[in-house]
Amino acid sequence: MKCGTEVGVALTKRIEKNRDKLFTFLNYDGVPWNNNNAEHAVRAFTRLRNVINTSTPKGTREYATLLSIHQTLRYRGMGFLK
């Protein structure tokens, strides 16, 4: 398909350039077509980032690590403390 607008041409180039990455879900079972799981995991951190009282980058990294483990277990139907 040929696009006549600058935006259309740029989008076409971007899709062609990233074709192998964009359509991975077509080649593998179990790979979702969207990124909802990652977006939900990030949302949990976003909600709490202003509440945590860490004053160092190390504290924030440690909190993010624990939150990542918690979210992974949650999506797998497992309890964090078990």
Side-chain angles (χ1 to χ4, degrees):
M1 173 183 240
K2 295 281 182 181
C3 296
T5 67
E6 187 177 331
V7 173
V9 170
L11 182 59
T12 300
K13 286 180 182 179
R14 186 173 177 189
I15 289 172
E16 288 173 356
K17 177 183 173 187
N18 295 298
R19 174 178 279 147
D20 294 336
K21 296 175 189 173
L22 288 173
F23 301 106
T24 300
F25 68 94
L26 295 174
N27 298 324
Y28 300 97
D29 290 336
V31 176
W33 65 271
N34 59 31
N35 201 22
N36 285 344
N37 289 339
E39 290 172 6
H40 288 295
V42 169
R43 186 176 302 145
F45 181 78
T46 303
R47 278 193 310 254
L48 297 172
R49 74 177 167 203
N50 294 328
V51 177
I52 60 174
N53 291 323
T54 61
S55 59
T56 65
K58 181 180 182 240
T60 302
R61 274 193 311 276
E62 290 173 353
Y63 176 78
T65 300
L66 286 174
L67 183 60
S68 175
I69 293 167
H70 177 270
Q71 290 297 105
T72 299
L73 292 171
R74 181 176 170 209
Y75 287 122
R76 292 183 179 180
M78 303 167 70
F80 183 74
L81 299 176
K82 290 183 181 180

